[in-house]
Amino acid sequence: MVQERQTYGLIRRKGAWSWLDVRGRRLGAWAFALNRLTGLGLVLYLVIHLLVLSLLTQGESRWNDFIALAKSPAFLFLDVVLFFGLLFHGLNGIRVALVGMGLGVERHKTLFWVLMTIGAVLLLLSAWKVFSSPAT
Amino acid sequence: MAEQTVQFKVFRYKQGERPSYQTYTVRVDPRTTVLRALEQIRQEQDGTLAFRHSCFHASCGTCGMKVNGQEVLACVTNVLELGTPVVVVEPLDNAPLITDLVVDMGDFYARYQPAGMPMIRESEFLPDSQVPEGVEHHMRLENCIECGLCLSACPVAGSDPLYLGPAALAAAWRMVEEPRGRDPATVLAWVDHEHGCWRCHAAFECSEVCPSNVDPAGAIMALRRELTRRKIGQLFGRR
Ligand code: HEM
Ligand code: SF4
Ligand code: SF4
Ligand code: FES
């Protein structure tokens, strides 16, 4: 396919950085970068979550200590960050899946904003729920 | 017309040397394009500055480069409309650098061949068309001008050197969409793998930067739809 040619010393290829380097890029690239970050963030969360659950095997007091920490406002804020990650990744994922099957390709930006509006509403609701739940 | 001075920070590279940026001060008027400014630099300040161009009107696709981080055709990019006091000019990403702003497009062009070369297919003549004397056939020009902007902008091409890339996939889709007596199956097989149309993550950057409305991202999704349709058909015993 490719004829033999001289190989040059330099090629400007950003590698994995090109996924995240959104300077000068537009909606699609931002969505892709954020989807990747939130996807990896969710995996990280899953691991942490399982580690935390394993505290249950170490007796009641370790667990209760953790629950006390988990009710601090800073920790509750992290819950909202988690909801953001889930909502963005999940809703954008629906768009990527649809578009990837050839559905709604011309409307992918509209689709993005519609899903994000739904996401914003759900995020506000979940933040309200997180912070207003009785701290029992 | 009001002239203004603008700084051009230009990527420089000669083989065997370290790449660097060199800044030139250029007087521009409201009509100066980036390509004209580069010519001005070459003529008046630095004869060693290398860049490529031909048509000056967005049809040959040779002047693709990055201006302020965006892939553009330099010949139709107005300097003052950029609105920055310093204009950063760099070669396209994801292609081997030859020198300064010139990249090797060999691999990029070669990928049009397995795609069926839709842009240089011979065109049928309309029955009543007037053909100049001596012309037996002519090549049909498709809209892709082979500028490579899409490949440079694509975040996936940035990490996967084997990725066929938006332009070649768009060409493949043209062939599948309008096979003109050829068998689209070979082209579909050529794109049906992890470095083909399935590699794309629908970032749509290619379609955003394309100066010629080719919409490679749309074409890639169309290829996937077609492949999915055929595979599902096969599952149910149809070919
Ligand atoms: C809520 C429903 C979810 C949907 C609809 C969804 C959808 C998707 C889609 C469509 C992709 C491919 C993106 C692309 O091609 O660029 C993707 C990638 C990914 N997802 Fe999800 N996902 C969901 C939940 C999750 C969860 C809970 C996790 C983590 C535990 C996760 C982790 C990842 C990772 C690591 C990737 C790869 C990142 C990438 O390729 O950019 N996803 N997801
Ligand atoms: S849509 Fe696909 S081919 Fe186009 S820039 Fe995005 S990842 Fe690359
Ligand atoms: S698809 Fe568009 S951006 Fe890509 S090479 Fe063709 S004309 Fe240039
Ligand atoms: S010089 Fe031909 S496209 Fe710019």
Side-chain angles (χ1 to χ4, degrees):
Chain A
M1 182 187 95
V2 178
Q3 327 85 293
E4 212 175 305
R5 292 190 335 276
Q6 185 188 352
T7 46
Y8 302 107
L10 207 67
I11 175 160
R12 283 160 56 91
R13 197 191 289 286
K14 286 180 259 176
W17 173 237
S18 73
W19 307 333
L20 301 181
D21 184 6
V22 290
R23 285 172 301 170
R25 296 280 164 242
R26 278 141 289 213
L27 188 113
W30 279 87
F32 168 60
L34 203 49
N35 200 70
R36 216 155 241 199
L37 281 177
T38 50
L40 293 174
L42 288 172
V43 172
L44 187 68
Y45 167 76
L46 190 62
V47 173
I48 295 173
H49 184 63
L50 293 174
L51 286 177
V52 165
L53 286 184
S54 72
L55 286 178
L56 278 172
T57 64
Q58 296 174 22
E60 201 176 321
S61 74
R62 298 280 312 259
W63 179 252
N64 286 342
D65 290 349
F66 169 73
I67 292 300
L69 174 70
K71 284 176 180 167
S72 67
F75 211 95
L76 292 181
F77 177 74
L78 287 181
D79 282 347
V80 178
V81 173
L82 173 66
F83 277 119
F84 168 81
L86 261 178
L87 285 167
F88 179 86
H89 186 91
L91 290 167
N92 183 58
I94 291 173
R95 165 182 155 274
V96 173
L98 286 175
V99 168
M101 291 187 291
L103 298 172
V105 180
E106 312 81 39
R107 300 274 186 83
H108 76 99
K109 287 185 188 170
T110 317
L111 195 55
F112 179 85
W113 290 117
V114 169
L115 288 165
M116 287 307 120
T117 309
I118 297 171
V121 172
L122 291 177
L123 185 64
L124 285 175
L125 279 176
S126 56
W128 177 68
K129 218 47 200 150
V130 164
F131 281 106
S132 66
S133 302
T136 44
Chain B
M1 262 191 271
E3 287 210 347
Q4 240 171 289
T5 53
V6 175
Q7 307 264 328
F8 279 78
K9 189 177 162 199
V10 183
F11 182 89
R12 300 302 310 271
Y13 170 67
K14 299 293 175 201
Q15 284 182 35
E17 291 172 23
R18 284 177 66 82
S20 59
Y21 287 86
Q22 198 168 341
T23 303
Y24 305 92
T25 305
V26 184
R27 290 197 71 77
V28 298
D29 67 37
R31 291 179 55 216
T32 309
T33 60
V34 171
L35 186 56
R36 287 282 183 210
L38 291 173
E39 286 209 306
Q40 230 166 295
I41 293 172
R42 185 161 63 188
Q43 279 159 12
E44 297 163 12
Q45 304 184 39
D46 186 345
T48 69
L49 179 64
F51 51 93
R52 204 161 29 198
H53 73 81
S54 177
C55 71
F56 276 100
H57 56 245
S59 29
C60 72
T62 42
C63 69
M65 54 185 78
K66 287 173 75 172
V67 175
N68 288 347
Q70 291 269 340
E71 285 77 8
V72 293
L73 296 177
C75 66
V76 289
T77 303
N78 183 291
V79 174
L80 291 182
E81 278 172 18
L82 291 168
T84 51
V86 179
V87 175
V88 183
V89 186
E90 297 165 302
L92 294 179
D93 286 342
N94 307 334
L97 256 180
I98 297 174
T99 178
D100 295 346
L101 303 172
V102 182
V103 292
D104 182 356
M105 302 286 275
D107 286 349
F108 177 79
Y109 293 150
R111 285 177 181 164
Y112 285 99
Q113 203 140 19
M117 303 277 267
M119 60 289 304
I120 57 167
R121 265 179 309 164
E122 232 175 87
S123 177
E124 307 84 356
F125 290 112
L126 293 172
D128 54 350
S129 64
Q130 294 194 335
V131 184
E133 215 177 318
V135 175
E136 280 93 47
H137 60 90
H138 66 88
M139 298 301 187
R140 186 194 148 109
L141 279 177
E142 290 280 355
N143 49 1
C144 174
I145 59 172
E146 296 143 79
C147 60
L149 301 191
C150 51
L151 191 76
S152 174
C154 173
V156 171
S159 59
D160 178 9
L162 297 178
Y163 180 43
L164 294 178
L169 290 169
W173 171 243
R174 271 301 294 149
M175 160 71 186
V176 173
E177 191 184 25
E178 206 186 312
R180 300 186 175 207
R182 300 212 213 171
D183 182 12
T186 49
V187 173
L188 282 171
W190 180 65
V191 302
D192 184 13
H193 55 87
E194 61 182 301
H195 303 292
C197 67
W198 303 107
R199 179 55 112 209
C200 163
H201 286 267
F204 287 92
E205 267 317 303
C206 50
S207 296
E208 296 280 0
V209 298
C210 178
S212 202
N213 286 327
V214 174
D215 188 16
I220 293 166
M221 303 314 150
L223 282 171
R224 289 178 173 183
R225 194 182 52 216
E226 181 62 24
L227 280 166
T228 309
R229 202 180 61 76
R230 288 184 181 226
K231 280 170 207 266
I232 291 175
Q234 277 164 1
L235 278 183
F236 291 96
R238 277 187 279 121
R239 314 184 348 101

